[in-house]
Amino acid sequence: MTVGSNSDIAAVSAVSDVSGEKKPWNSNEMMTIAASRTLKDGAICFVGIGIPSTAAILAKSSHAPNLFLIYESGTVNTDPKRLPLSIGDGELANEALSVVGMPEIFNYWLQPGHIDVGFLGAAQIDRFGNINTTFIGNSYDDPKVRLPGAGGATEIAGACKEVIIIIKQSKRTFVEKIDFITSFGFGDGPGSREKHGLIGNGPKYVITDQGILEPDPVTKELVLVSLHPGVSVESAIENTGWDLKVAENILTTDEPKDFELKKVRELVATSSKKSE
Amino acid sequence: MTVGSNSDIAAVSAVSDVSGEKKPWNSNEMMTIAASRTLKDGAICFVGIGIPSTAAILAKSSHAPNLFLIYESGTVNTDPKRLPLSIGDGELANEALSVVGMPEIFNYWLQPGHIDVGFLGAAQIDRFGNINTTFIGNSYDDPKVRLPGAGGATEIAGACKEVIIIIKQSKRTFVEKIDFITSFGFGDGPGSREKHGLIGNGPKYVITDQGILEPDPVTKELVLVSLHPGVSVESAIENTGWDLKVAENILTTDEPKDFELKKVRELVATSSKKSE
Amino acid sequence: MSKFLSLSEAISRYVHDGDTVALEGFTHLIPFAAGHEIIRQRRKNLTAVRLTPDLIYDQLIGAGCVKKLVFSWGGNPGVGSLHRFRDAYQSGWPVKISIEEHTHAGLTNRYVAGASGMPFAVLRGYFGSDLFEQTSNVSTIQSPFTDEKFLAVAAINPDVAIIHAQQADKNGNVMMWGITGSSKEAVFASKATIVTVEEIVDTFQPKFNSIIIPNVLIDAIAHVPRGAWPSYASGYYERDNDAYIAWDAVSKDRESFEKWLADEIYGESGAKP
Amino acid sequence: MSKFLSLSEAISRYVHDGDTVALEGFTHLIPFAAGHEIIRQRRKNLTAVRLTPDLIYDQLIGAGCVKKLVFSWGGNPGVGSLHRFRDAYQSGWPVKISIEEHTHAGLTNRYVAGASGMPFAVLRGYFGSDLFEQTSNVSTIQSPFTDEKFLAVAAINPDVAIIHAQQADKNGNVMMWGITGSSKEAVFASKATIVTVEEIVDTFQPKFNSIIIPNVLIDAIAHVPRGAWPSYASGYYERDNDAYIAWDAVSKDRESFEKWLADEIYGESGAKP
């Protein structure tokens, strides 16, 4: 699923702090803000509902006013003033430069590699950034939990120049082996994407409630490169189902700035109010 | 070429009478009117410039007000009030229900078989209704006369439920073997269309200045079924480069009615005036 | 050629037990009223195709109309799961359904192939995903010009496509604007088409991002104001998000769902807001 | 990302000797002014792609800019032959050109494949036609689902697409309406895009049958009123049919064509009406 294509909006207001420490922001806010900062002005960005939309709107309101947002529903270069409730929210169409059919979105925009950045969420991720949004369990035909499925994710993962994955980190989500590869990251390491003919470069960042991971340029395994303020390396390791690699010079993510928090809260508040 | 995609407009006013006899109409007018009469109300018709447009506008103004005209330029259900000068004349767009891109015309309208009737013209035709609009001569690479080429014709010939071919009859145009098959009729007889996977039924009428030919239901060879008023069987045979089959009960085409001639002349006159 | 019919007559004529149906509309212009009428007419054994089987297909599945679901993203957008879908798929209530699952790109291109009169379409997709192994109607195809393999998806040609649009004119042409998803392709691909519309107008006025569906592609038009509720119709009404949220509770257990069916669909009140 | 440039600067930057260029526009919005600027800048060895190489390519070919023509219908619509094309193809004046010939459906789908980032597209076409044997970049392909063969056409990805449109906004987005032919696909398929426009506006107003090309797909926009003359620009001016008819005489022999080149293109007067 594109992040939040299911219930991330609800999650935004419900989440509690992972570290237990009192902080003037919650982890969803931190994830949103960290994601927002990765977006370069002028980039063409394939956005989903929830955190990606919040991050994109925040980026457009601050350092990246020319961010070019495309949603799979067909809205091209849209500039939503409030958080969209669904991937095809009227706000996205009303504020778009144009709205086109889905064949044009997938065949003309996504497939040939026009998209710089695509956002994905997941229920499970492995050390090579492969993700699962299809089911939890041992059998496709008899799943323990059935998830929404691929939506746009499989081809977003394949064709965007960069992919940013947003996911909360835990032993349930960061697993040694995911139950189903819905969308391909780096497969089982270097050369896997090429073997499958995928034109995009794969995951660039995995942004979690613990910190930020990037693939090692050689091995393609995810490495923890930054910790959010107040999170320890031990916590990140503890919440990972594999032997997590940690960068030698690990950074600390900059704390949320006031304007970032203000904008994110304003967006989320308006969205919740809308649904009351 | 779709009929008249090149110089048929000019030809309409220049043509002289084939029979030498004095008649109150010329052969282009007769061809236009005969073509017009074949069009059933409500049919979806793929039209070209020149005689097909004149015939279609005449039909819409008389017995077939709901004729649904599509031009390859993308105009859908258009209702031109004057003769279009080109396949993409502004008049066609202005009077259309909608205008779409050419991929939609060829892939969604023509290819799946939505078109009931397609008009084609040709420089050469053979006894099985195969036509040539590519070149005259012995060699594709070194032609005696280079013609415009296929345009929409090849797939019109393949996919329309019926094809109507409009062509002046002579030993130069009705030939034993055409120099190049641009658009397929019945190949070398029964079963040929099926072999090539063509979904349309092939030529239904060939309308000439001599009369009207139809394919024999069994052999698929063109048979002269109607002579225009004042034309003799001998003239039709004389103007055919193969041993022309003639129907046992050959008909005489109804003379042009006054309203038909009036409308055709009005359309052609306006068109000529436009180009003066 | 389109005829103006009542919704009941349109469904009765063009939707049959065992048909493959596609109720399209991506978030916007979802033909809820038509879906409810299908339930009301107690159609069975439908193969139900839709990119996003959200509430509307949860309702059809819960009511027992569906035997197979063809889809690419199944959820209640912004809310959570489709409980009736899960209950039918995982527990067989009220009937066991099978699924055929795609990606949006894949299912969209199944419609494109169907619209194009081709048995297949080609794309870059699925490779690397386990979905490729699980899903029928996909295959690989070799490029005749390069040394690469691509995905081929089989055409889908539903027996009937059902969409909701803003306007019809008196000649039975239909105009829609805003997000149209894969509706155009679904219409071209289908053997019959039913359109429910908000309004019947004398002539269309230009709108940004509008598409027009000519009457020759349509079989029945039913005038059903608010026929997309609780989704939205740009220019007419907004999405009723509360109804999406409320659906979660309604659909969570069989009893509350059956009460909803009785009250809102089979009962006197219909399913109007 | 689109920049507003003079036409001369746009051609100078984005059209190079040896490039594959596609000047699109089907009867409507033909980028004549841009074509004339290419002649003026004396580009050579172009592979010139266009469904209908009418006057504009006759002029480029006569001026010696073209080494290969990729097309699907070559003629002066409503008038007759392209004399400069025939002279170059059949007699090698001023330079010998080669041709690659398609049908409209085939060449349109070459653009579609290019726009889709695929090396090929598939269609029902060419079969039974001798064209199949004469033309490169076509092949057959087997359906993976049925026992049928289809035509595959190779993608075309021009170095530069050049189109004429009615309007650009100040952000460098472009809006066109009326007949747009295969222009959208040509733009998506090309590595660079130049657009000449009639007018620069603050904001677009809704029009029937309009398409918008976002600035990220465009490299250069040149404000060239009447840049499609003698073709037409819906909402701005009509086709100058006399110019099409007059071209027949101008192009019929080399001398009158060279005089036209000197007077209208290389001379002071340009090629304005």
Side-chain angles (χ1 to χ4, degrees):
Chain A
M1 63 192 160
T2 309
V3 165
S5 293
N6 57 359
S7 58
D8 290 278
I9 289 176
V12 166
S13 27
V15 74
S16 72
D17 219 49
V18 283
S19 68
E21 215 184 299
K22 269 266 187 282
K23 274 188 305 222
W25 63 82
N26 69 33
S27 61
N28 269 28
E29 290 165 348
M30 186 70 245
M31 288 164 78
T32 305
I33 290 164
S36 170
R37 292 169 181 165
T38 68
L39 296 171
K40 291 191 189 68
D41 197 24
I44 303 178
C45 185
F46 207 99
V47 196
I49 297 306
I51 290 182
S53 282
T54 320
I57 298 173
L58 169 59
K60 269 182 90 74
S61 76
S62 52
H63 66 282
N66 301 307
L67 202 61
F68 187 104
L69 306 184
I70 293 189
Y71 286 73
E72 65 191 17
S73 52
T75 63
V76 174
N77 199 4
T78 184
D79 188 13
K81 306 298 188 263
R82 60 165 176 80
L83 274 190
L85 298 174
S86 75
I87 195 79
D89 195 307
E91 174 78 0
L92 298 174
N94 296 340
E95 299 297 328
L97 171 66
S98 75
V99 183
V100 300
M102 289 178 76
E104 186 163 329
I105 290 292
F106 286 107
N107 294 349
Y108 289 2
W109 282 99
L110 179 59
Q111 181 165 268
H114 288 295
I115 311 293
D116 295 312
V117 185
F119 278 109
L120 294 175
Q124 292 182 326
I125 186 169
D126 69 17
R127 69 175 75 211
F128 290 112
N130 305 297
I131 60 180
N132 175 16
T133 56
T134 302
F135 76 91
I136 304 294
N138 296 319
S139 154
Y140 178 84
D141 295 319
D142 186 20
K144 196 148 57 170
V145 183
R146 173 68 221 193
L147 303 165
T154 305
E155 285 77 21
I156 290 172
C160 292
K161 289 185 193 121
E162 303 176 355
V163 170
I164 299 176
I165 299 167
I166 301 177
I167 179 170
K168 289 205 178 163
Q169 205 164 337
S170 77
K171 283 212 151 61
R172 277 193 319 116
T173 59
F174 271 55
V175 297
E176 184 63 46
K177 189 173 168 359
I178 63 182
D179 294 336
F180 189 88
I181 301 179
T182 311
S183 304
F184 203 72
F186 296 106
D188 51 14
S192 297
R193 291 184 67 83
E194 294 73 8
K195 198 179 75 187
H196 288 294
L198 305 177
I199 64 166
N201 299 316
K204 167 112 172 181
Y205 303 109
V206 177
I207 296 173
T208 79
D209 51 347
Q210 305 282 313
I212 302 174
L213 299 90
E214 288 181 29
D216 179 275
V218 176
T219 67
K220 301 298 181 189
E221 181 172 339
L222 294 173
V223 178
L224 182 68
V225 296
S226 187
L227 282 166
H228 297 327
V231 181
S232 65
V233 173
E234 292 67 33
S235 164
I237 290 173
E238 179 61 30
N239 283 291
T240 304
W242 68 81
D243 177 21
L244 181 66
K245 296 268 192 310
V246 179
E248 259 180 58
N249 302 308
I250 193 163
L251 305 171
T252 302
T253 313
D254 282 351
E255 289 201 0
K257 306 277 189 300
D258 285 350
F259 75 89
E260 292 172 325
L261 272 176
K262 183 164 173 279
K263 185 74 187 177
V264 168
R265 285 171 183 175
E266 188 186 300
L267 287 167
V268 171
T270 327
S271 158
S272 311
K273 204 170 147 209
K274 183 87 195 165
S275 311
E276 264 163 23
Chain B
M1 66 193 157
T2 311
V3 164
S5 293
N6 57 0
S7 57
D8 289 276
I9 289 175
V12 167
S13 28
V15 75
S16 71
D17 218 49
V18 281
S19 67
E21 214 184 298
K22 270 266 187 283
K23 277 193 306 252
W25 62 83
N26 68 33
S27 61
N28 269 27
E29 289 165 350
M30 187 69 245
M31 288 164 77
T32 305
I33 290 164
S36 171
R37 291 168 181 166
T38 68
L39 296 171
K40 292 191 189 68
D41 198 22
I44 304 178
C45 185
F46 207 99
V47 197
I49 296 306
I51 289 180
S53 282
T54 319
I57 298 173
L58 169 59
K60 269 182 92 72
S61 75
S62 52
H63 66 283
N66 300 306
L67 201 62
F68 187 104
L69 305 184
I70 294 190
Y71 287 74
E72 65 191 16
S73 53
T75 63
V76 174
N77 199 3
T78 184
D79 188 15
K81 304 298 187 266
R82 61 166 175 79
L83 274 190
L85 298 172
S86 75
I87 195 80
D89 195 307
E91 174 79 359
L92 297 173
N94 295 341
E95 301 296 329
L97 171 66
S98 76
V99 183
V100 300
M102 289 178 78
E104 186 163 331
I105 290 292
F106 285 107
N107 294 350
Y108 289 1
W109 282 99
L110 179 59
Q111 181 166 269
H114 288 294
I115 310 292
D116 296 310
V117 185
F119 277 109
L120 294 175
Q124 292 182 326
I125 187 170
D126 68 19
R127 69 175 73 212
F128 290 112
N130 306 297
I131 60 179
N132 175 17
T133 57
T134 301
F135 76 91
I136 304 295
N138 296 319
S139 154
Y140 179 84
D141 295 317
D142 185 19
K144 195 148 62 173
V145 183
R146 174 67 222 191
L147 303 165
T154 305
E155 284 77 21
I156 290 171
C160 292
K161 288 185 192 120
E162 303 176 355
V163 171
I164 300 175
I165 300 167
I166 301 177
I167 179 172
K168 291 206 176 163
Q169 205 165 337
S170 76
K171 284 212 152 62
R172 276 192 318 117
T173 58
F174 271 55
V175 297
E176 184 64 46
K177 190 174 167 358
I178 61 181
D179 295 335
F180 189 88
I181 300 179
T182 310
S183 305
F184 204 73
F186 296 105
D188 50 15
S192 297
R193 292 184 67 83
E194 293 75 7
K195 199 180 72 185
H196 289 292
L198 306 177
I199 65 167
N201 298 316
K204 168 109 173 184
Y205 303 109
V206 177
I207 296 173
T208 79
D209 51 346
Q210 304 282 313
I212 301 174
L213 299 88
E214 287 182 28
D216 180 276
V218 177
T219 67
K220 300 301 181 188
E221 181 172 338
L222 294 173
V223 177
L224 183 68
V225 296
S226 186
L227 282 166
H228 296 327
V231 180
S232 65
V233 173
E234 292 68 33
S235 164
I237 291 173
E238 176 63 29
N239 282 291
T240 303
W242 68 81
D243 178 21
L244 180 67
K245 298 267 192 310
V246 179
E248 259 179 58
N249 301 308
I250 193 163
L251 304 171
T252 302
T253 313
D254 282 350
E255 289 203 0
K257 307 277 188 298
D258 286 349
F259 75 89
E260 292 172 325
L261 271 176
K262 183 163 171 283
K263 185 73 185 175
V264 169
R265 284 171 184 174
E266 188 185 300
L267 287 166
V268 171
T270 327
S271 156
S272 310
K273 204 169 150 212
K274 182 85 194 167
S275 312
E276 264 163 21
Chain C
M1 176 65 81
S2 55
K3 289 171 294 290
F4 289 92
L5 299 177
S6 70
L7 178 56
S8 148
E9 178 69 17
I11 299 296
S12 158
R13 277 203 210 173
Y14 294 106
V15 182
H16 312 100
D17 287 358
D19 274 359
T20 296
V21 301
L23 280 69
E24 272 301 341
F26 196 81
T27 310
H28 182 214
L29 297 173
I30 302 176
F32 272 96
H36 294 166
E37 183 60 27
I38 291 172
I39 298 175
R40 213 171 278 124
Q41 297 195 15
R42 298 179 193 264
R43 288 290 175 277
K44 297 280 173 261
N45 296 318
L46 301 177
T47 294
V49 186
R50 179 169 164 75
L51 294 177
T52 52
D54 39 29
L55 271 58
I56 189 171
Y57 274 17
D58 210 34
Q59 295 168 352
L60 281 163
I61 290 167
C65 304
V66 177
K67 73 166 180 212
K68 182 180 179 186
L69 178 67
V70 181
F71 75 108
S72 44
W73 191 89
N76 181 347
V79 180
S81 295
L82 297 178
H83 303 296
R84 293 298 94 226
F85 159 59
R86 286 193 183 180
D87 200 13
Y89 177 58
Q90 298 185 233
S91 313
W93 190 93
V95 285
K96 182 81 185 159
I97 64 164
S98 65
I99 63 170
E100 177 188 316
E101 185 172 4
H102 291 277
T103 70
H104 281 347
L107 189 47
T108 293
N109 278 293
R110 291 198 66 193
Y111 282 132
V112 168
S116 303
M118 293 285 293
F120 67 103
V122 294
L123 63 146
R124 295 182 187 274
Y126 293 54
F127 292 166
S129 170
D130 289 338
L131 197 55
F132 181 77
E133 295 301 328
Q134 291 297 343
T135 289
S136 52
N137 289 312
V138 303
S139 184
T140 58
I141 195 163
Q142 175 76 41
S143 163
F145 303 107
T146 63
D147 189 26
E148 295 166 283
K149 276 195 172 160
F150 294 90
L151 187 82
V153 290
I156 198 154
N157 291 99
D159 294 302
V160 57
I162 304 178
I163 61 170
H164 186 75
Q166 282 100 336
Q167 298 180 340
D169 70 13
K170 298 200 187 286
N171 297 318
N173 304 298
V174 161
M175 178 159 159
M176 27 195 333
W177 61 86
I179 290 166
T180 56
S182 297
S183 294
K184 182 164 73 180
E185 283 68 28
V187 168
F188 270 104
S190 294
K191 292 165 199 126
T193 294
I194 300 171
V195 186
T196 55
V197 296
E198 288 297 326
E199 191 179 0
I200 297 167
V201 298
D202 285 332
T203 49
F204 298 136
Q205 298 303 318
K207 290 273 185 184
F208 278 123
N209 312 307
S210 62
I211 62 174
I212 286 175
I213 300 178
N215 51 13
V216 294
L217 297 174
I218 302 170
D219 294 273
I221 298 180
H223 183 204
V224 187
R226 295 188 65 79
W229 172 87
S231 79
Y232 72 106
S234 179
Y236 290 82
Y237 45 92
E238 293 197 354
R239 169 174 153 123
D240 183 353
N241 205 51
D242 294 342
Y244 279 80
I245 293 168
W247 182 251
D248 197 61
V250 169
S251 61
K252 213 156 219 160
D253 66 75
R254 295 174 185 175
E255 291 66 30
S256 61
F257 171 73
E258 287 192 315
K259 180 166 168 15
W260 175 85
L261 262 188
D263 292 350
E264 301 292 330
I265 303 296
Y266 299 132
E268 287 302 301
S269 67
K272 293 286 152 47
Chain D
M1 177 64 81
S2 55
K3 290 172 293 291
F4 288 93
L5 298 178
S6 70
L7 178 56
S8 148
E9 179 68 16
I11 298 297
S12 158
R13 277 204 211 173
Y14 293 105
V15 182
H16 312 100
D17 287 357
D19 275 359
T20 296
V21 302
L23 280 70
E24 271 302 339
F26 196 81
T27 312
H28 182 213
L29 297 172
I30 302 176
F32 271 97
H36 295 166
E37 184 60 27
I38 292 173
I39 298 176
R40 215 172 276 124
Q41 296 195 15
R42 297 180 193 263
R43 288 289 175 279
K44 297 281 175 259
N45 296 318
L46 301 177
T47 294
V49 186
R50 181 171 162 73
L51 294 176
T52 52
D54 38 30
L55 272 56
I56 190 172
Y57 274 19
D58 210 35
Q59 295 168 351
L60 281 163
I61 290 167
C65 303
V66 177
K67 74 166 180 212
K68 182 179 179 186
L69 177 68
V70 180
F71 75 108
S72 44
W73 191 88
N76 181 347
V79 180
S81 296
L82 297 178
H83 303 296
R84 294 298 93 227
F85 159 58
R86 287 194 181 180
D87 200 12
Y89 177 57
Q90 298 184 235
S91 312
W93 190 92
V95 284
K96 183 77 185 162
I97 64 164
S98 64
I99 62 171
E100 177 188 316
E101 186 172 3
H102 291 276
T103 70
H104 281 346
L107 189 47
T108 293
N109 278 294
R110 291 199 65 193
Y111 283 131
V112 168
S116 303
M118 293 285 293
F120 66 103
V122 294
L123 62 147
R124 294 183 188 271
Y126 293 57
F127 292 166
S129 170
D130 289 338
L131 197 56
F132 181 76
E133 295 299 329
Q134 291 297 343
T135 289
S136 50
N137 289 311
V138 302
S139 184
T140 58
I141 196 162
Q142 176 76 40
S143 164
F145 304 105
T146 64
D147 188 28
E148 295 167 283
K149 276 195 171 161
F150 294 90
L151 188 82
V153 290
I156 197 154
N157 292 99
D159 294 301
V160 56
I162 306 178
I163 62 168
H164 187 74
Q166 282 102 335
Q167 297 179 341
D169 69 13
K170 297 198 189 286
N171 297 318
N173 304 297
V174 161
M175 177 159 161
M176 20 191 343
W177 61 85
I179 290 166
T180 56
S182 297
S183 293
K184 182 164 72 179
E185 284 67 28
V187 167
F188 270 104
S190 295
K191 292 165 198 125
T193 294
I194 300 172
V195 185
T196 56
V197 296
E198 287 298 325
E199 192 179 0
I200 298 168
V201 298
D202 285 332
T203 49
F204 299 135
Q205 298 304 316
K207 291 274 184 182
F208 278 124
N209 312 306
S210 63
I211 62 174
I212 286 175
I213 301 178
N215 51 15
V216 294
L217 296 174
I218 302 171
D219 294 273
I221 299 180
H223 183 206
V224 186
R226 295 188 65 79
W229 172 87
S231 78
Y232 73 105
S234 179
Y236 291 83
Y237 45 91
E238 294 197 351
R239 170 173 151 125
D240 183 353
N241 206 50
D242 294 342
Y244 279 79
I245 293 167
W247 182 251
D248 197 62
V250 170
S251 60
K252 213 154 219 161
D253 67 72
R254 296 173 184 173
E255 291 67 29
S256 61
F257 172 72
E258 287 192 312
K259 181 168 169 5
W260 175 85
L261 264 187
D263 292 351
E264 301 292 329
I265 304 295
Y266 298 133
E268 288 302 302
S269 67
K272 295 284 153 50

